[in-house]
Amino acid sequence: MPNTYTLLETITVGAEVEEKLFSLARKGDADAYVILGYVLQRTVNDNGCWTLGGKNLRDNGYTFFTLNARRAAGHRLLIEALQESLIPKGMVVDHTCHNKAAYEQTCDGGSSCLHRACFNPAHMEIVTQSENIARGSNGFWNKKTCPKGHTREAEHIRYRIHNNRTVAYCWTCHKATMAKVKRNNRQKLKALGLKEKRYG
């Protein structure tokens, strides 16, 4: 990292993120010192995403920082620096800026996703990997309707764990399917001369 931020006392910091990093750096946190340098070099696009580009943009689309000869995803390092602790095991940092675009179907995700480069902490949320996947471009979470045309309003959507991940599904379709299954079961029982077992 170029030695361009040696006089930290002379930097005018107004944003909350810069103030926190500045404070940590003054206390001797070397990583915060370097990360502050990246934050001060950021470019802010129309969506509010922070990017760097150039040698800090990897082939997978993510922005990377170099700390003590170690390269790691910039959005993760910034979040960890701000919360002064590592991201909990099993948790990941979700780009909420991508989720909005995925829902509007203006971004298909993958390595070509422009939101991957963002390291604005206001666009980040620490979630489980399963929830991160469920929020991805291909999940029902980001479809405007289910296959039957029900919209994504709260009354139509529920969540469940499937293969160790959270998935969204259409509750309206699910209820209709369960009602059909119950009707079929009643008809089968009736044909066999049996009574339906009731609970409660």
Side-chain angles (χ1 to χ4, degrees):
M1 191 58 190
N3 211 15
T4 53
Y5 302 105
T6 51
L7 300 176
L8 285 176
E9 292 80 0
T10 66
I11 295 175
T12 301
V13 289
E16 184 178 342
V17 171
E18 294 173 358
E19 288 177 350
K20 178 66 182 284
L21 292 172
F22 180 74
S23 174
L24 292 170
R26 290 286 303 270
K27 293 174 183 176
D29 186 331
D31 287 348
Y33 181 89
V34 175
I35 291 170
L36 176 60
Y38 287 114
V39 169
L40 292 173
Q41 295 178 62
R42 70 189 181 273
T43 298
V44 183
N45 67 19
D46 293 340
N47 295 323
C49 293
W50 296 3
T51 60
L52 287 174
K55 64 183 180 180
N56 295 109
L57 188 65
R58 300 296 292 269
D59 292 341
N60 61 9
Y62 290 102
T63 294
F64 274 65
F65 296 166
T66 302
L67 299 178
N68 299 318
R70 176 175 66 94
R71 288 176 68 77
H75 63 287
R76 289 181 61 93
L77 291 175
L78 179 53
I79 289 291
E80 289 179 343
L82 293 174
Q83 67 181 18
E84 299 182 65
S85 65
L86 297 176
I87 293 167
K89 187 176 181 180
M91 305 294 280
V92 297
V93 181
D94 184 29
H95 283 77
T96 58
C97 48
H98 168 72
N99 296 340
K100 182 176 184 294
Y103 171 60
E104 294 170 349
Q105 297 183 321
T106 57
C107 181
D108 294 328
S111 59
S112 62
C113 171
L114 299 179
H115 304 98
R116 284 190 172 193
C118 178
F119 62 98
N120 181 349
H123 292 187
M124 306 296 152
E125 185 178 355
I126 298 176
V127 299
T128 62
Q129 176 65 12
S130 58
E131 186 172 358
N132 189 34
I133 292 170
R135 293 176 175 189
S137 300
N138 296 323
F140 174 57
W141 179 292
N142 289 316
K143 303 296 182 188
K144 292 187 177 179
T145 67
C146 76
K148 296 286 187 181
H150 299 122
T151 57
R152 292 183 70 258
E153 275 80 17
E155 70 262 24
H156 295 308
I157 293 185
R158 296 292 186 278
Y159 305 95
R160 64 175 170 235
I161 303 298
H162 179 68
N163 291 335
N164 294 318
R165 67 186 182 96
T166 305
V167 295
Y169 66 98
C170 179
W171 176 242
T172 305
C173 286
H174 176 76
K175 286 193 299 184
T177 299
M178 289 299 99
K180 184 176 180 180
V181 168
K182 287 179 180 179
R183 281 195 305 271
N184 290 341
N185 286 341
R186 279 195 296 268
Q187 289 172 357
K188 288 177 183 177
L189 290 171
K190 188 175 181 181
L192 294 170
L194 300 172
K195 289 185 179 180
E196 181 181 4
K197 188 179 286 187
R198 297 186 179 276
Y199 300 91

